[in-house]
Amino acid sequence: MKRFKFLAMVLFLVLSVFVLAGCGGTDESAGYGEEADEVDASLQTVLDKGVLRVGLCPEYPPFESIDESGEIVGFDPDLANAIAEELGIEVEFVNTPWEGLIAGLNNGEFDVIISAMSPEEATAATDAVELSENYYVMSDVIVVRSENNDIKGKEDLAGKIVGVQDACSAAHAAEDLPNHGIEVAALNRYARNAEAFAELANGRIDAVVVSLTYANELIKNNPGFKVINDPLQEVGLAVVAKLGSVSLINKINEVVAELKENGIYDRIAVEWLAAD
């Protein structure tokens, strides 16, 4: 009987080892399962919904603005529509104030930002973003009143009052002037470019730093302003997505490359940005 009990105990211990080994295997599988849950589904989610939600601030012609019929139009909306068409889905534009774009993206209000936003502007707000390759490169330039003959280049901004839209690439360019030995008398910041140009028109400031595309659009109907052809900097524009949306951004890079190859990108650029 004692021999039987001893054998039974040995058998129990052996079975216990196998059971524990089995439990260890289950835990390992669970670990792989957790990793699988973290697989980037950003592209597939958009494709499954059939809609690419695009956040933009339509106050920056010719990249985006609202026309007389209330439609959002411009280079960025047309590019977004072309991207969506290549993906076989629709586009939904989410009109968002410039200062709320990054917060809206990270709150899930839209899938991407396509709103003439540079990588520097996006990452100034947060590092928690994914950036596409630059889909356009633009220059930041000086605009003055048409009768102003004192400012012929960026060096002439020394001692002048300069206006910029705050938290944008032009503001960064103006902020960098002291690093080039150019000390302005004051750098006035405005919530919108329109406010800066109103101040310029009224003679309260001497110049505005803004993108060349915006400047060209502005002076079409405003002969009281002129552009000084001495760019402060060149800056790229990128599509911005939430951190981790790598598959979506990679696909957008691929589609934009295709649009440049098949001529659709050039057609959109000529329509909206030909003045550059």
Side-chain angles (χ1 to χ4, degrees), residues 36-88:
D37 290 342
E38 297 173 1
V39 171
D40 172 22
S42 56
L43 173 60
Q44 194 58 51
T45 298
V46 167
L47 295 177
D48 289 345
K49 288 187 305 182
V51 177
L52 179 67
R53 297 173 301 159
V54 176
L56 46 68
C57 176
E59 300 176 14
Y60 200 72
F63 285 98
E64 45 266 326
S65 61
I66 298 177
D67 67 11
E68 296 176 354
S69 64
E71 295 295 318
I72 295 176
V73 298
F75 177 81
D76 285 336
D78 277 8
L79 180 62
N81 275 310
I83 290 170
E85 186 173 348
E86 289 289 323
L87 295 175

Side-chain angles (χ1 to χ4, degrees), residues 154-155 158 172-183 231-233:
K154 50 182 171 284
E155 289 80 9
H172 300 157
E175 291 163 358
D176 194 48
L177 286 171
N179 294 327
H180 300 277
I182 303 168
E183 295 286 347
L232 276 68
Q233 67 173 4

Side-chain angles (χ1 to χ4, degrees), residues 15 46 51 75 83 87 112 140 208 214 223 231 241 247 253:
L15 290 172
V46 167
V51 177
F75 177 81
I83 290 170
L87 295 175
V112 294
D140 286 321
V208 173
Y214 187 98
S247 62
N253 283 334

Side-chain angles (χ1 to χ4, degrees), residues 102-231:
I102 294 295
L105 177 70
N106 286 321
N107 287 337
E109 295 170 18
F110 31 86
D111 305 302
V112 294
I113 298 168
I114 307 180
S115 191
M117 182 173 286
S118 71
E120 293 78 11
E121 289 165 340
T123 55
T126 177
D127 290 330
V129 292
E130 299 290 345
L131 300 169
S132 74
E133 297 172 4
N134 290 336
Y135 64 83
Y136 187 76
V137 177
M138 67 181 183
S139 301
D140 286 321
V141 298
I142 303 161
V143 178
V144 299
R145 292 184 298 278
S146 57
E147 70 271 15
N148 186 324
N149 295 315
D150 296 331
I151 300 176
K152 299 180 177 66
K154 50 182 171 284
E155 289 80 9
D156 297 325
L157 293 177
K160 302 295 193 297
I161 302 173
V162 178
V164 292
Q165 178 175 309
D166 198 18
C168 70
S169 67
H172 300 157
E175 291 163 358
D176 194 48
L177 286 171
N179 294 327
H180 300 277
I182 303 168
E183 295 286 347
V184 301
L187 182 60
N188 292 2
R189 302 170 187 274
Y190 302 92
R192 295 291 184 270
N193 281 316
E195 297 172 17
F197 279 102
E199 293 285 272
L200 179 62
N202 291 328
R204 296 190 180 95
I205 60 177
D206 300 301
V208 173
V209 177
V210 69
S211 78
L212 178 58
T213 49
Y214 187 98
N216 284 335
E217 187 72 15
L218 178 77
I219 64 176
K220 284 180 183 178
N221 301 308
N222 290 277
F225 300 127
K226 66 181 178 182
V227 177
I228 304 301
N229 190 21
D230 185 19

